[in-house]
Amino acid sequence: MSRRRGPQGLRRRARLRTCGGEGVNSALPEGYFKSPNVARVQDHLDGGTDNYDPDRDFARDLVAAAPWLPGSVRVNRAHGPRVLNCLTREYSIDQVIDLGCGLPHDNNRDVPDEVRRMVYVDSDPGVEAHARMVLAERHGTASLRADLEDMSALLAAGPIVQLDRGRPIGVLLHDVLPWIGDATVHTVLAVLRSWLPAGSVLSVTYATTDMAAEAMTALTRLYEGAGIGFRPRSGQQIRDLLTSWAPLETGGLMTTASWRRLTHLHPRFDHSHGYAIIASPGDRTS
């Protein structure tokens, strides 16, 4: 099985083979590189090099069904730095958890100086290894392999326990919730709302069926055929998921591309196909 091997990709692969003494590949599930993987498919759609033939072949089918998909991936990834700037400058938040951080890419390598503590979390062992070697190199950063299916274990892990819960914490859930089961989505949101200290902010991006519904249905079927659950929701369904959270912005839902922009993009040029929301835990007595 061939793989594109630019110099940067070769260096990363060599580091991944050697990290952790016995090598991280020993911890990867059997057949890990033989079927498409969401993080690697997203990497390919964004022009990255950390992907393999099954990812690229599958991505071609996805793009045939939804030609705007690479643009949607880029929009979502560019959203991260904008949110971090918002959290630090408007809400004085200097500690952040990136749940479902994904593979390193241009838009998540640099963290604002104001962020003193950043924890990258992913359940994918290959992704976490990349995060550990690339994203968590800066002082004050850490990586964690943990699954949203087990929030108790995630919140009890060392890098999370070391956060100061006497001060606000920012949580990024960018393009994560559509990939997990409905019951887990509700549990994750409920546990976070209960656990986060006052003044904390949750940032969510969520793929929606409100635009290009037929293409979204086609994507859902393709992912299902690859054994991957994908659950985009309507704007109203997304609102319902976050009904116990206090929105921090007035007005209707904003697409990810139009979030915090002075003028809205014409639908023809807005490739988001998803919404961006920031919210606080609000009144935990309700």
Side-chain angles (χ1 to χ4, degrees):
M1 180 169 58
S2 64
R3 182 176 187 267
R4 287 184 295 170
R5 293 174 177 263
Q8 187 179 45
L10 282 170
R11 286 196 298 271
R12 285 185 195 159
R13 188 164 176 89
R15 287 191 293 178
L16 286 173
R17 283 176 171 165
T18 58
C19 82
E22 297 179 1
V24 71
N25 283 353
S26 63
L28 297 177
E30 184 177 355
Y32 179 77
F33 299 108
K34 295 182 179 180
S35 58
N37 166 288
V38 172
R40 299 195 309 259
V41 169
Q42 302 281 68
D43 178 74
H44 173 65
L45 291 170
D46 194 30
T49 60
D50 292 308
N51 50 81
Y52 296 79
D53 283 345
D55 310 306
R56 297 193 285 275
D57 293 342
F58 185 56
R60 279 193 288 272
D61 294 336
L62 296 176
V63 173
W68 41 261
L69 189 57
S72 178
V73 171
R74 287 191 291 270
V75 166
N76 191 74
R77 289 184 159 191
H79 186 64
R82 296 167 62 204
V83 168
L84 287 178
N85 285 331
C86 169
L87 296 183
T88 57
R89 296 173 185 177
E90 297 185 29
Y91 298 98
S92 300
I93 289 175
D94 63 2
Q95 45 184 355
V96 179
I97 307 171
D98 188 350
L99 291 176
C101 62
L103 287 163
H105 53 87
D106 289 344
N107 286 311
N108 72 347
R109 294 177 196 277
D110 297 321
V111 177
D113 292 339
E114 295 86 351
V115 176
R116 297 174 57 192
R117 187 72 179 164
M118 185 87 176
V119 183
Y120 298 97
V121 182
D122 210 287
S123 62
D124 185 313
V127 169
E128 191 278 327
H130 277 84
R132 182 174 359 118
M133 298 303 295
V134 179
L135 299 178
E137 290 182 323
R138 172 189 167 221
H139 177 72
T141 59
S143 70
L144 170 66
R145 182 184 173 190
D147 199 321
L148 294 177
E149 295 276 356
D150 190 349
M151 288 297 290
S152 296
L154 190 157
L155 295 178
I160 303 296
V161 171
Q162 291 168 13
L163 297 174
D164 181 0
R165 291 185 62 218
R167 297 185 297 110
I169 297 171
V171 175
L172 310 183
L173 270 171
H174 292 174
D175 191 30
V176 172
L177 298 181
W179 305 100
I180 60 180
D182 291 345
T184 302
V185 170
H186 288 281
T187 298
V188 167
L189 292 173
V191 170
L192 284 175
R193 182 168 178 261
S194 174
W195 179 83
L196 285 169
S200 295
V201 176
L202 172 72
S203 174
V204 173
T205 65
Y206 211 118
T208 184
T209 55
D210 286 355
M211 312 110 178
E214 290 184 7
M216 277 294 181
T217 298
L219 291 178
T220 300
R221 289 173 178 166
L222 285 168
Y223 279 116
E224 182 180 6
I228 300 169
F230 177 57
R231 303 166 184 82
R233 284 179 164 87
S234 69
Q236 186 56 55
Q237 289 173 321
I238 295 169
R239 288 190 191 93
D240 291 343
L241 279 178
L242 297 168
T243 189
S244 61
W245 291 76
L248 293 174
E249 297 172 309
T250 58
L253 287 175
M254 303 288 289
T255 68
T256 309
S258 64
W259 185 82
R260 293 296 183 97
R261 294 190 182 276
L262 296 177
T263 58
H264 293 287
L265 293 173
H266 187 281
R268 179 180 177 185
F269 303 107
D270 187 334
H271 299 296
S272 303
H273 295 275
Y275 292 118
I277 307 103
I278 58 171
S280 73
D283 180 5
R284 258 73 67 92
T285 63
S286 60

